[in-house]
Amino acid sequence: MKAVIQRVSGATLSADGETVATIGRGLVVYVGIEQSDSEADIIAMCKKVAAMRIFSDDAGKMNLSVADIGGEVLLVSNFTLCADISHGNRPSFSFAMRPVQASLMFDYCVAVMRDLLSAAGLTDSVKCGVFGADMRIEQINDGPVTIIYP
């Protein structure tokens, strides 16, 4: 599993010309699910993202999590994160999980993240893109702060 986590002050995702999801301050997380990934991998990634202290406290130190600031999370399925570019110039996506199974795993990822943030008192704070759709994401990077998982 690979994920790119970006701290944002806001983001809007659209598919087929229609706005699907909008978040304010929080995280945009691009998730690439590989064939070898399991539900345990999803849980580990979601726990890490929910607890990651990358928001500034009153002293300006990155010491707060998305839950601590009452932020939101936008999850975006992105199989291109699984690209292998070690041979030639055309990326190979042979490590990416096949679409039907990946869709189920991505739905599980959304459910786990929702459960984690709901347990922290944040309801309706997790939004997601449309699996397999051609999406447009406009985001305002904050910092910028970008973390790559793992």
mmCIF file of all heavy atoms in Angstrom, residues 55-92:
data_model
loop_
_atom_site.group_PDB
_atom_site.id
_atom_site.type_symbol
_atom_site.label_atom_id
_atom_site.label_comp_id
_atom_site.label_asym_id
_atom_site.label_seq_id
_atom_site.Cartn_x
_atom_site.Cartn_y
_atom_site.Cartn_z
ATOM 1 N N PHE A 55 -0.135 19.084 12.037
ATOM 2 C CA PHE A 55 -0.751 20.402 12.108
ATOM 3 C C PHE A 55 -0.105 21.173 13.255
ATOM 4 O O PHE A 55 0.240 20.595 14.290
ATOM 5 C CB PHE A 55 -2.268 20.301 12.310
ATOM 6 C CG PHE A 55 -2.973 19.733 11.114
ATOM 7 C CD1 PHE A 55 -3.185 18.358 11.002
ATOM 8 C CD2 PHE A 55 -3.402 20.561 10.087
ATOM 9 C CE1 PHE A 55 -3.811 17.828 9.896
ATOM 10 C CE2 PHE A 55 -4.025 20.030 8.974
ATOM 11 C CZ PHE A 55 -4.234 18.664 8.872
ATOM 12 N N SER A 56 0.033 22.458 13.078
ATOM 13 C CA SER A 56 0.735 23.291 14.062
ATOM 14 C C SER A 56 -0.106 23.562 15.299
ATOM 15 O O SER A 56 -1.306 23.820 15.202
ATOM 16 C CB SER A 56 1.132 24.621 13.424
ATOM 17 O OG SER A 56 2.012 24.400 12.350
ATOM 18 N N ASP A 57 0.576 23.538 16.449
ATOM 19 C CA ASP A 57 -0.068 23.931 17.695
ATOM 20 C C ASP A 57 0.114 25.440 17.883
ATOM 21 O O ASP A 57 0.606 26.124 16.978
ATOM 22 C CB ASP A 57 0.495 23.131 18.890
ATOM 23 C CG ASP A 57 1.983 23.335 19.111
ATOM 24 O OD1 ASP A 57 2.580 24.294 18.552
ATOM 25 O OD2 ASP A 57 2.579 22.532 19.854
ATOM 26 N N ASP A 58 -0.265 25.956 19.041
ATOM 27 C CA ASP A 58 -0.173 27.397 19.296
ATOM 28 C C ASP A 58 1.259 27.927 19.239
ATOM 29 O O ASP A 58 1.476 29.106 18.987
ATOM 30 C CB ASP A 58 -0.804 27.748 20.648
ATOM 31 C CG ASP A 58 -2.312 27.557 20.631
ATOM 32 O OD1 ASP A 58 -2.900 27.570 19.524
ATOM 33 O OD2 ASP A 58 -2.907 27.394 21.721
ATOM 34 N N ALA A 59 2.225 27.040 19.464
ATOM 35 C CA ALA A 59 3.635 27.441 19.429
ATOM 36 C C ALA A 59 4.229 27.321 18.022
ATOM 37 O O ALA A 59 5.408 27.582 17.830
ATOM 38 C CB ALA A 59 4.443 26.594 20.409
ATOM 39 N N GLY A 60 3.406 26.899 17.053
ATOM 40 C CA GLY A 60 3.883 26.760 15.688
ATOM 41 C C GLY A 60 4.594 25.449 15.411
ATOM 42 O O GLY A 60 5.185 25.262 14.351
ATOM 43 N N LYS A 61 4.528 24.522 16.352
ATOM 44 C CA LYS A 61 5.183 23.222 16.201
ATOM 45 C C LYS A 61 4.187 22.207 15.648
ATOM 46 O O LYS A 61 3.034 22.168 16.086
ATOM 47 C CB LYS A 61 5.706 22.768 17.560
ATOM 48 C CG LYS A 61 6.527 21.518 17.527
ATOM 49 C CD LYS A 61 7.101 21.222 18.908
ATOM 50 C CE LYS A 61 8.017 20.020 18.851
ATOM 51 N NZ LYS A 61 8.599 19.744 20.166
ATOM 52 N N MET A 62 4.626 21.386 14.699
ATOM 53 C CA MET A 62 3.733 20.343 14.167
ATOM 54 C C MET A 62 3.516 19.315 15.275
ATOM 55 O O MET A 62 4.361 18.460 15.520
ATOM 56 C CB MET A 62 4.325 19.687 12.915
ATOM 57 C CG MET A 62 4.257 20.564 11.700
ATOM 58 S SD MET A 62 4.423 19.724 10.108
ATOM 59 C CE MET A 62 5.979 18.921 10.236
ATOM 60 N N ASN A 63 2.370 19.434 15.932
ATOM 61 C CA ASN A 63 2.120 18.635 17.125
ATOM 62 C C ASN A 63 0.668 18.166 17.226
ATOM 63 O O ASN A 63 0.301 17.552 18.219
ATOM 64 C CB ASN A 63 2.505 19.460 18.363
ATOM 65 C CG ASN A 63 2.842 18.604 19.554
ATOM 66 O OD1 ASN A 63 3.252 17.460 19.411
ATOM 67 N ND2 ASN A 63 2.655 19.155 20.736
ATOM 68 N N LEU A 64 -0.159 18.480 16.227
ATOM 69 C CA LEU A 64 -1.582 18.145 16.292
ATOM 70 C C LEU A 64 -1.981 17.248 15.118
ATOM 71 O O LEU A 64 -1.482 17.401 14.006
ATOM 72 C CB LEU A 64 -2.425 19.425 16.268
ATOM 73 C CG LEU A 64 -2.152 20.442 17.385
ATOM 74 C CD1 LEU A 64 -2.949 21.720 17.143
ATOM 75 C CD2 LEU A 64 -2.467 19.842 18.747
ATOM 76 N N SER A 65 -2.920 16.361 15.388
ATOM 77 C CA SER A 65 -3.445 15.473 14.344
ATOM 78 C C SER A 65 -4.671 16.103 13.698
ATOM 79 O O SER A 65 -5.196 17.116 14.171
ATOM 80 C CB SER A 65 -3.833 14.127 14.954
ATOM 81 O OG SER A 65 -4.992 14.284 15.766
ATOM 82 N N VAL A 66 -5.150 15.484 12.646
ATOM 83 C CA VAL A 66 -6.361 15.968 11.974
ATOM 84 C C VAL A 66 -7.551 15.941 12.936
ATOM 85 O O VAL A 66 -8.398 16.826 12.912
ATOM 86 C CB VAL A 66 -6.629 15.192 10.662
ATOM 87 C CG1 VAL A 66 -7.038 13.747 10.922
ATOM 88 C CG2 VAL A 66 -7.654 15.898 9.801
ATOM 89 N N ALA A 67 -7.587 14.938 13.811
ATOM 90 C CA ALA A 67 -8.664 14.876 14.810
ATOM 91 C C ALA A 67 -8.533 16.005 15.821
ATOM 92 O O ALA A 67 -9.538 16.604 16.214
ATOM 93 C CB ALA A 67 -8.647 13.515 15.514
ATOM 94 N N ASP A 68 -7.298 16.305 16.221
ATOM 95 C CA ASP A 68 -7.071 17.373 17.206
ATOM 96 C C ASP A 68 -7.569 18.728 16.715
ATOM 97 O O ASP A 68 -8.014 19.545 17.520
ATOM 98 C CB ASP A 68 -5.578 17.501 17.531
ATOM 99 C CG ASP A 68 -5.013 16.305 18.266
ATOM 100 O OD1 ASP A 68 -5.782 15.610 18.974
ATOM 101 O OD2 ASP A 68 -3.788 16.061 18.139
ATOM 102 N N ILE A 69 -7.463 18.973 15.410
ATOM 103 C CA ILE A 69 -7.878 20.275 14.880
ATOM 104 C C ILE A 69 -9.327 20.276 14.393
ATOM 105 O O ILE A 69 -9.825 21.290 13.915
ATOM 106 C CB ILE A 69 -6.946 20.738 13.735
ATOM 107 C CG1 ILE A 69 -7.066 19.811 12.528
ATOM 108 C CG2 ILE A 69 -5.522 20.880 14.219
ATOM 109 C CD1 ILE A 69 -6.769 20.465 11.210
ATOM 110 N N GLY A 70 -10.013 19.128 14.500
ATOM 111 C CA GLY A 70 -11.384 19.038 14.004
ATOM 112 C C GLY A 70 -11.431 19.120 12.485
ATOM 113 O O GLY A 70 -12.379 19.638 11.909
ATOM 114 N N GLY A 71 -10.399 18.584 11.833
ATOM 115 C CA GLY A 71 -10.279 18.673 10.381
ATOM 116 C C GLY A 71 -11.033 17.586 9.638
ATOM 117 O O GLY A 71 -11.756 16.777 10.234
ATOM 118 N N GLU A 72 -10.839 17.599 8.342
ATOM 119 C CA GLU A 72 -11.512 16.647 7.466
ATOM 120 C C GLU A 72 -10.478 15.884 6.646
ATOM 121 O O GLU A 72 -9.337 16.318 6.502
ATOM 122 C CB GLU A 72 -12.460 17.382 6.516
ATOM 123 C CG GLU A 72 -13.567 18.124 7.232
ATOM 124 C CD GLU A 72 -14.442 18.902 6.259
ATOM 125 O OE1 GLU A 72 -13.989 19.961 5.791
ATOM 126 O OE2 GLU A 72 -15.563 18.431 5.974
ATOM 127 N N VAL A 73 -10.904 14.740 6.100
ATOM 128 C CA VAL A 73 -10.038 13.916 5.268
ATOM 129 C C VAL A 73 -10.746 13.622 3.953
ATOM 130 O O VAL A 73 -11.917 13.219 3.948
ATOM 131 C CB VAL A 73 -9.676 12.587 5.977
ATOM 132 C CG1 VAL A 73 -8.868 11.679 5.057
ATOM 133 C CG2 VAL A 73 -8.918 12.855 7.271
ATOM 134 N N LEU A 74 -10.037 13.830 2.858
ATOM 135 C CA LEU A 74 -10.530 13.463 1.528
ATOM 136 C C LEU A 74 -9.675 12.304 1.040
ATOM 137 O O LEU A 74 -8.464 12.456 0.851
ATOM 138 C CB LEU A 74 -10.432 14.637 0.552
ATOM 139 C CG LEU A 74 -10.792 14.348 -0.907
ATOM 140 C CD1 LEU A 74 -12.229 13.860 -1.047
ATOM 141 C CD2 LEU A 74 -10.561 15.589 -1.761
ATOM 142 N N LEU A 75 -10.280 11.118 0.906
ATOM 143 C CA LEU A 75 -9.593 9.928 0.419
ATOM 144 C C LEU A 75 -9.826 9.782 -1.076
ATOM 145 O O LEU A 75 -10.964 9.851 -1.539
ATOM 146 C CB LEU A 75 -10.109 8.683 1.135
ATOM 147 C CG LEU A 75 -9.804 8.602 2.633
ATOM 148 C CD1 LEU A 75 -10.577 7.461 3.271
ATOM 149 C CD2 LEU A 75 -8.311 8.427 2.862
ATOM 150 N N VAL A 76 -8.734 9.569 -1.820
ATOM 151 C CA VAL A 76 -8.812 9.455 -3.274
ATOM 152 C C VAL A 76 -8.080 8.194 -3.704
ATOM 153 O O VAL A 76 -6.877 8.064 -3.467
ATOM 154 C CB VAL A 76 -8.180 10.687 -3.968
ATOM 155 C CG1 VAL A 76 -8.308 10.574 -5.475
ATOM 156 C CG2 VAL A 76 -8.793 11.983 -3.454
ATOM 157 N N SER A 77 -8.798 7.270 -4.319
ATOM 158 C CA SER A 77 -8.159 6.067 -4.842
ATOM 159 C C SER A 77 -7.293 6.453 -6.035
ATOM 160 O O SER A 77 -7.722 7.185 -6.924
ATOM 161 C CB SER A 77 -9.236 5.064 -5.274
ATOM 162 O OG SER A 77 -8.621 3.935 -5.850
ATOM 163 N N ASN A 78 -6.034 5.956 -6.033
ATOM 164 C CA ASN A 78 -5.103 6.348 -7.091
ATOM 165 C C ASN A 78 -4.147 5.189 -7.385
ATOM 166 O O ASN A 78 -3.087 5.080 -6.779
ATOM 167 C CB ASN A 78 -4.331 7.590 -6.649
ATOM 168 C CG ASN A 78 -3.488 8.186 -7.746
ATOM 169 O OD1 ASN A 78 -3.170 7.521 -8.723
ATOM 170 N ND2 ASN A 78 -3.108 9.425 -7.579
ATOM 171 N N PHE A 79 -4.551 4.328 -8.328
ATOM 172 C CA PHE A 79 -3.743 3.150 -8.637
ATOM 173 C C PHE A 79 -2.386 3.515 -9.215
ATOM 174 O O PHE A 79 -1.437 2.724 -9.151
ATOM 175 C CB PHE A 79 -4.492 2.201 -9.585
ATOM 176 C CG PHE A 79 -4.475 2.626 -11.027
ATOM 177 C CD1 PHE A 79 -3.519 2.116 -11.893
ATOM 178 C CD2 PHE A 79 -5.408 3.532 -11.507
ATOM 179 C CE1 PHE A 79 -3.496 2.498 -13.231
ATOM 180 C CE2 PHE A 79 -5.389 3.922 -12.834
ATOM 181 C CZ PHE A 79 -4.425 3.414 -13.698
ATOM 182 N N THR A 80 -2.225 4.728 -9.744
ATOM 183 C CA THR A 80 -0.939 5.101 -10.336
ATOM 184 C C THR A 80 0.175 5.198 -9.298
ATOM 185 O O THR A 80 1.359 5.185 -9.658
ATOM 186 C CB THR A 80 -1.032 6.420 -11.135
ATOM 187 O OG1 THR A 80 -1.374 7.491 -10.258
ATOM 188 C CG2 THR A 80 -2.066 6.307 -12.254
ATOM 189 N N LEU A 81 -0.177 5.260 -8.013
ATOM 190 C CA LEU A 81 0.852 5.226 -6.972
ATOM 191 C C LEU A 81 1.574 3.883 -6.947
ATOM 192 O O LEU A 81 2.676 3.777 -6.424
ATOM 193 C CB LEU A 81 0.236 5.482 -5.596
ATOM 194 C CG LEU A 81 -0.267 6.893 -5.326
ATOM 195 C CD1 LEU A 81 -0.926 6.965 -3.958
ATOM 196 C CD2 LEU A 81 0.870 7.888 -5.419
ATOM 197 N N CYS A 82 0.958 2.869 -7.520
ATOM 198 C CA CYS A 82 1.538 1.525 -7.543
ATOM 199 C C CYS A 82 2.420 1.304 -8.765
ATOM 200 O O CYS A 82 2.854 0.180 -9.028
ATOM 201 C CB CYS A 82 0.422 0.479 -7.515
ATOM 202 S SG CYS A 82 -0.681 0.650 -6.103
ATOM 203 N N ALA A 83 2.690 2.344 -9.512
ATOM 204 C CA ALA A 83 3.463 2.217 -10.747
ATOM 205 C C ALA A 83 4.882 1.730 -10.480
ATOM 206 O O ALA A 83 5.527 2.141 -9.514
ATOM 207 C CB ALA A 83 3.515 3.553 -11.473
ATOM 208 N N ASP A 84 5.345 0.864 -11.365
ATOM 209 C CA ASP A 84 6.731 0.418 -11.358
ATOM 210 C C ASP A 84 7.400 1.089 -12.548
ATOM 211 O O ASP A 84 7.001 0.862 -13.697
ATOM 212 C CB ASP A 84 6.790 -1.105 -11.484
ATOM 213 C CG ASP A 84 8.213 -1.638 -11.561
ATOM 214 O OD1 ASP A 84 9.173 -0.857 -11.403
ATOM 215 O OD2 ASP A 84 8.361 -2.856 -11.794
ATOM 216 N N ILE A 85 8.383 1.941 -12.263
ATOM 217 C CA ILE A 85 9.058 2.662 -13.351
ATOM 218 C C ILE A 85 10.522 2.252 -13.456
ATOM 219 O O ILE A 85 11.340 2.984 -14.007
ATOM 220 C CB ILE A 85 8.933 4.191 -13.167
ATOM 221 C CG1 ILE A 85 9.478 4.625 -11.810
ATOM 222 C CG2 ILE A 85 7.482 4.633 -13.335
ATOM 223 C CD1 ILE A 85 9.600 6.135 -11.652
ATOM 224 N N SER A 86 10.836 1.059 -12.944
ATOM 225 C CA SER A 86 12.226 0.614 -12.936
ATOM 226 C C SER A 86 12.723 0.167 -14.311
ATOM 227 O O SER A 86 13.924 0.129 -14.534
ATOM 228 C CB SER A 86 12.423 -0.511 -11.916
ATOM 229 O OG SER A 86 11.616 -1.628 -12.241
ATOM 230 N N HIS A 87 11.821 -0.172 -15.220
ATOM 231 C CA HIS A 87 12.224 -0.631 -16.555
ATOM 232 C C HIS A 87 11.531 0.214 -17.603
ATOM 233 O O HIS A 87 10.305 0.357 -17.588
ATOM 234 C CB HIS A 87 11.832 -2.087 -16.767
ATOM 235 C CG HIS A 87 12.424 -3.043 -15.782
ATOM 236 N ND1 HIS A 87 13.063 -2.669 -14.631
ATOM 237 C CD2 HIS A 87 12.489 -4.393 -15.794
ATOM 238 C CE1 HIS A 87 13.478 -3.737 -13.986
ATOM 239 N NE2 HIS A 87 13.137 -4.792 -14.658
ATOM 240 N N GLY A 88 12.272 0.771 -18.518
ATOM 241 C CA GLY A 88 11.693 1.534 -19.610
ATOM 242 C C GLY A 88 11.075 2.835 -19.143
ATOM 243 O O GLY A 88 11.279 3.295 -18.027
ATOM 244 N N ASN A 89 10.292 3.430 -20.034
ATOM 245 C CA ASN A 89 9.686 4.733 -19.766
ATOM 246 C C ASN A 89 8.186 4.677 -19.547
ATOM 247 O O ASN A 89 7.590 5.677 -19.178
ATOM 248 C CB ASN A 89 9.997 5.694 -20.918
ATOM 249 C CG ASN A 89 11.476 6.002 -20.983
ATOM 250 O OD1 ASN A 89 12.118 6.188 -19.960
ATOM 251 N ND2 ASN A 89 12.026 6.036 -22.185
ATOM 252 N N ARG A 90 7.585 3.539 -19.826
ATOM 253 C CA ARG A 90 6.146 3.407 -19.607
ATOM 254 C C ARG A 90 5.920 2.721 -18.261
ATOM 255 O O ARG A 90 6.421 1.621 -18.035
ATOM 256 C CB ARG A 90 5.507 2.583 -20.714
ATOM 257 C CG ARG A 90 3.998 2.446 -20.509
ATOM 258 C CD ARG A 90 3.346 1.702 -21.621
ATOM 259 N NE ARG A 90 3.628 2.428 -22.847
ATOM 260 C CZ ARG A 90 3.067 2.164 -24.002
ATOM 261 N NH1 ARG A 90 2.206 1.174 -24.100
ATOM 262 N NH2 ARG A 90 3.351 2.858 -25.070
ATOM 263 N N PRO A 91 5.175 3.345 -17.370
ATOM 264 C CA PRO A 91 4.935 2.726 -16.064
ATOM 265 C C PRO A 91 4.174 1.410 -16.206
ATOM 266 O O PRO A 91 3.286 1.279 -17.047
ATOM 267 C CB PRO A 91 4.066 3.748 -15.323
ATOM 268 C CG PRO A 91 4.178 5.008 -16.089
ATOM 269 C CD PRO A 91 4.520 4.640 -17.495
ATOM 270 N N SER A 92 4.547 0.458 -15.368
ATOM 271 C CA SER A 92 3.819 -0.806 -15.289
ATOM 272 C C SER A 92 2.960 -0.754 -14.026
ATOM 273 O O SER A 92 3.417 -0.320 -12.969
ATOM 274 C CB SER A 92 4.801 -1.969 -15.187
ATOM 275 O OG SER A 92 4.120 -3.155 -14.815
#
